[in-house]
Amino acid sequence: MKRFLALLATCATVLGLTALSGPQAVAATGCRVDYTVASQWQGGFQAGVKITNLGDPVSGWTLGFTMPDAGQEVVQGWNATWSQSGSTVTATAVDWNRTLATGATVDLGFTGSFTGANPKPTAFTLNGVACTGSVEEPPPTPDDGTPVDINGQLHVCGVNLCNQYDRPIQLRGMSTHGIQWFSQCYNTASLDALARDWRSDLLRISMYVQEDGYETDPAGFTARVNGLVDMAEARGMYAVIDFHTLTPGDPNFNLDRAKTFFASVAARNAGKNNVIYEIANEPNGVSWAGIKSYAEQVIPVIRAADPDAVVIVGTRGWSSLGVSDGSDESEVVDNPVNATNIMYAFHFYAASHKDNYRATVSRAASRLPLFVSEFGTVSATGGGAVDRASSTAWLDLLDQLKISYANWTYSDADEGSAAFRPGTCDGTDYSGSGVLTESGALLKSRISTPDAFPTS
């Protein structure tokens, strides 16, 4: 695979061009576009496009560019409304990213097809103002192979998550915050940092269903999830697609939405080996029987398109195996979901959930395949101080039991659980000590240690 980064950095006046007039026109010195071919395969490719507004603020924008080969076509795009007429491609802002302040950036992307050569696009414009630039090579990837390169298609064997060599492994990584609120945190720079500096094995993509999420724009949110799956794949990370049900807590409320969503993403991503499906984030106020019924209706929808991927099933009491509802793992052990290649979710927040929760995990791990698809170093509210002692005890236990995990959150939310200080996602540094919170520094130090995945 060959990746090109076009740094398109000057403006229309340099070329003697005249900017379009009107309130949406970008100032004549004001546009840069970074174009990246992240991966390429026979007849297809995935590209990322980062727009930087160096001119006046805009409250609506349209990116235009020309495909230089007649056989090149946009197949599916994300973070914008994409269209193509002949060789001319346009990407228009959507509601959540339509405003671009001076110096602000927005990340878009698309998958494309080609029949001949696949040269980079030309004649980029932002609201009619031309931008030009040069080509640079991307930074190198780790020499020892990515997590997906090494482990391949995952599956459940006994109570473990196992790799293509049938050996138990542990994946360690980070969860996004709600992508309806923090999309600016998930871009080329942040995911490069997650894969290369943090050495993360996975990205959990948290797509809320309610709370201004999927139900407001099913097609748009599905495209955004698929875009992040592709970005994780291009960096060799696994992607956990999280159908983030929280309020209301009964996943059956969203049964039809879940079937529609998972039918779409499973069909689209069935050829990938980096995808894990999490079908219900934190069931609450619902019985295990109700959760089990939901799972046994949604899993066949996924299996119809993607028979081999691992599926994570939420558990009672905010995915606590019932502990937060006064129960324990026995209800799942005695009445498991009627499906194969599945794991059960366990969530905890270290300052709130301590010895009795750890005891439950220690017992359950010998009977059930567990995946800690979300946890925090702080209280169950997502805020407060980091409990280093409890967090360390939890992480040591998960390492000992080879239980995979994703930390909440890889974001700059103004709360104790966030990995970054507020405002970090407006910049380009996602690894330095100056941008990390106490929680972020702790998790980066744990995740970035060598995985030593078994291969024989």
Side-chain angles (χ1 to χ4, degrees), residues 109-411:
F110 67 94
T111 56
S113 62
F114 64 96
T115 56
N118 189 32
K120 63 183 178 65
T122 60
F124 284 89
T125 63
L126 184 63
N127 288 352
V129 175
C131 304
T132 61
S134 58
V135 177
E136 290 185 2
E137 291 294 331
T141 56
D143 295 332
D144 53 355
T146 68
V148 177
D149 286 339
I150 297 168
N151 294 297
Q153 179 64 59
L154 305 177
H155 63 284
V156 178
C157 54
V159 296
N160 298 115
L161 181 65
C162 292
N163 65 11
Q164 62 183 331
Y165 304 102
D166 291 323
R167 296 292 302 277
I169 64 166
Q170 178 196 36
L171 301 179
R172 301 172 298 171
M174 300 295 292
S175 174
T176 73
H177 208 300
I179 58 175
Q180 77 273 40
W181 299 313
F182 291 93
S183 280
Q184 74 275 14
C185 291
Y186 313 114
N187 53 56
T188 299
S190 67
L191 293 191
D192 281 348
L194 185 63
R196 295 168 182 157
D197 300 333
W198 290 61
R199 303 298 297 273
S200 180
D201 304 321
L202 66 88
L203 173 71
R204 180 187 188 231
I205 304 163
S206 181
M207 187 201 71
Y208 280 71
V209 184
Q210 276 72 51
E211 293 141 302
D212 299 322
Y214 174 81
E215 68 176 1
T216 68
D217 182 10
F221 276 94
T222 300
R224 288 160 74 180
V225 168
N226 286 332
L228 288 169
V229 168
D230 290 345
M231 292 178 77
E233 179 189 34
R235 292 158 178 80
M237 293 187 291
Y238 289 94
V240 177
I241 297 178
D242 164 33
F243 196 69
H244 201 87
T245 51
L246 186 63
T247 304
D250 184 351
N252 291 287
F253 179 84
N254 288 304
L255 179 59
D256 289 341
R257 294 185 183 96
K259 288 180 176 180
T260 299
F261 173 73
F262 283 110
S264 177
V265 294
R268 191 263 189 184
N269 296 302
K272 302 179 186 295
N273 59 4
N274 74 315
V275 177
I276 298 169
Y277 302 97
E278 183 176 5
I279 60 174
N281 165 58
E282 288 187 350
N284 58 88
V286 60
S287 68
W288 169 243
I291 300 167
K292 180 176 181 288
S293 173
Y294 166 85
E296 290 176 350
Q297 295 177 76
V298 174
I299 292 172
V301 173
I302 296 172
R303 292 284 181 253
D306 193 348
D308 299 322
V310 172
V311 174
I312 301 172
V313 178
T315 58
R316 187 155 73 98
W318 294 273
S319 285
S320 68
L321 289 171
V323 181
S324 292
D325 280 353
S327 185
D328 59 31
E329 76 281 5
S330 61
E331 63 184 19
V332 182
V333 172
D334 295 341
N335 189 24
V337 171
N338 184 21
T340 58
N341 209 27
I342 66 170
M343 308 189 82
Y344 296 95
F346 187 88
H347 293 181
F348 68 85
Y349 280 78
S352 300
H353 308 132
K354 300 191 177 184
D355 290 342
N356 60 323
Y357 286 82
R358 284 191 283 269
T360 299
V361 168
S362 295
R363 289 193 313 270
S366 66
R367 306 288 300 278
L368 298 169
L370 301 180
F371 197 116
V372 174
S373 54
E374 179 182 319
F375 79 94
T377 60
V378 294
S379 75
T381 66
V386 171
D387 189 327
R388 294 189 69 89
S390 182
S391 296
T392 300
W394 270 114
L395 291 168
D396 288 348
L397 177 64
L398 299 182
D399 290 351
Q400 174 192 334
L401 298 173
K402 282 191 177 295
I403 295 176
S404 299
Y405 62 76
N407 174 252
W408 185 270
T409 60
Y410 197 68
S411 79

